[in-house]
Amino acid sequence: KTHSETLLPMLDEMLNMINTKVDEVDGIAVAAGPGSFTGLRIGSSVAKGLGFALNKPLIPVPTLEGMAYNLYLTEGLICPLMDARRNQVYAAAFQWKEKSFISVIPQEAIGIREFLDKVNKTQQPVIFLGDGVPVYREIIEEECKVEHFYAPAHLNKQRAASIAARGMEYYIAGKGIEASQFIPEYLRLSQAERERLEQERKDG
C-alpha cells in the first residue's frame, strides 16, 4: 500500500496506543525535504491538513538536518547523503559546538565529487550516513581526503524520532509557522517539470 493509504491510519493507531487525542498536540513537526517528490507531497499534505484542521503550528525540519541529528553530540562533521539520482546527491554537513547544532555546508543537490571537495576543504574528520553512502562509497573512498567514518546501520537512515526531537527544539525556540506558510524544499525540479521545460525550449 502507498503512504497516502497508510499514513493517517498509522497516526491514529499511534495516538490510541499512547492514549492521546490528536487535538492535544502542541505542534506538528514535518520533514521539510529534500527527498522523494511524491513522499514530500504526501507528508506535507497530511501535515498541512492536520495543521489547518487543528489550528496548530507546523515545525519544518530539513530532512538532512533530521538525519544528521541521529548522531547526537558526535564530534567532527556529520554529512548525510541521500541518493538524488541523475549522478547527484542531496547533501549537507552539520556539527555540534558546545551542544549547539550548526550548519557547516548548507543542504543542496550536488555532484558527489563536488560535495566531497567541500568536505575536504573543512579539514575535519567526517562521518557519512544515508542511502547515498552505499551508492557512492567507492567514490567517497577515492575522493575523501580527510579522516572519515560511516554511521552504523541503526543510525543510518531517516528517523521520525529525530525529526520530532529537533522539531521540539524549534517549537520551543518559537520557529513554528502556520500551515498555509509551509512549502516543501525540493531543491530541484521534478522530472515532469524538467521534461516540460525541455519541451518548451525545443518548441521555442
Side-chain angles (χ1 to χ4, degrees), residues 22 37 57 67 121 144-145 158 176 187 190:
V22 68
F37 285 84
M67 288 176 64
K121 288 177 180 177
C144 189
K145 307 304 181 185
Q158 301 171 34
L187 292 189
S190 69

Side-chain angles (χ1 to χ4, degrees), residues 64-65 78-81 90-94 103 105-108 115 119:
L64 293 169
E65 184 175 334
I78 305 170
C79 290
L81 303 174
Y90 298 124
F94 301 88
S103 171
I105 302 174
Q107 65 177 22
E108 56 189 334
F115 179 71
V119 170

Side-chain angles (χ1 to χ4, degrees), residues 185-200:
E185 298 179 65
Y186 296 111
L187 292 189
R188 69 180 191 189
L189 298 176
S190 69
Q191 182 176 345
E193 290 169 318
R194 291 194 303 270
E195 290 176 352
R196 186 194 69 207
L197 290 174
E198 181 64 25
Q199 189 60 49
E200 289 176 353

Side-chain angles (χ1 to χ4, degrees), residues 72-114:
Y72 189 79
L73 295 182
T74 298
E75 294 184 0
L77 290 185
I78 305 170
C79 290
L81 303 174
M82 294 172 61
D83 182 17
R85 309 284 177 86
R86 299 170 63 85
N87 298 314
Q88 286 191 322
V89 289
Y90 298 124
F94 301 88
Q95 188 173 41
W96 289 96
K97 282 195 174 181
E98 299 177 357
K99 295 188 177 181
S100 293
F101 196 49
I102 63 171
S103 171
V104 178
I105 302 174
Q107 65 177 22
E108 56 189 334
I110 187 173
I112 183 63
R113 285 184 170 85
E114 184 180 352

Side-chain angles (χ1 to χ4, degrees), residues 9-192:
M10 289 171 66
L11 286 171
D12 189 52
E13 181 180 0
M14 180 185 67
L15 289 167
N16 288 333
M17 289 175 67
I18 61 175
N19 196 30
T20 300
K21 295 180 180 179
V22 68
D23 58 2
E24 293 176 340
V25 303
D26 297 309
I28 301 163
V30 56
S36 154
F37 285 84
T38 301
L40 285 175
R41 285 168 180 154
I42 293 170
S44 63
S45 295
V46 170
K48 292 182 76 164
L50 290 171
F52 278 123
L54 302 172
N55 194 28
K56 302 289 185 179
L58 265 57
I59 304 96
V61 178
T63 304
L64 293 169
E65 184 175 334
M67 288 176 64
Y69 202 79
N70 292 353
L71 302 176
Y72 189 79
L73 295 182
T74 298
E75 294 184 0
L77 290 185
I78 305 170
C79 290
L81 303 174
M82 294 172 61
D83 182 17
R85 309 284 177 86
R86 299 170 63 85
N87 298 314
Q88 286 191 322
V89 289
Y90 298 124
F94 301 88
Q95 188 173 41
W96 289 96
K97 282 195 174 181
E98 299 177 357
K99 295 188 177 181
S100 293
F101 196 49
I102 63 171
S103 171
V104 178
I105 302 174
Q107 65 177 22
E108 56 189 334
I110 187 173
I112 183 63
R113 285 184 170 85
E114 184 180 352
F115 179 71
L116 290 172
D117 183 57
K118 292 185 178 186
V119 170
N120 290 334
K121 288 177 180 177
T122 69
Q123 298 184 328
Q124 296 187 64
V126 57
I127 183 165
F128 294 103
L129 70 158
D131 66 6
V133 170
V135 177
Y136 296 104
R137 184 157 180 166
E138 186 174 331
I139 296 175
I140 294 171
E141 289 300 318
E142 291 174 357
E143 302 289 339
C144 189
K145 307 304 181 185
V146 296
E147 188 177 20
H148 57 280
F149 310 91
Y150 301 96
H154 68 292
L155 298 174
N156 190 46
K157 298 291 192 294
Q158 301 171 34
R159 302 176 72 190
S162 294
I163 295 293
R166 187 60 167 160
M168 177 67 78
E169 293 183 348
Y170 278 159
Y171 176 78
I172 292 171
K175 293 185 179 180
I177 61 174
E178 293 183 4
S180 60
Q181 296 177 296
F182 174 63
I183 301 173
E185 298 179 65
Y186 296 111
L187 292 189
R188 69 180 191 189
L189 298 176
S190 69
Q191 182 176 345

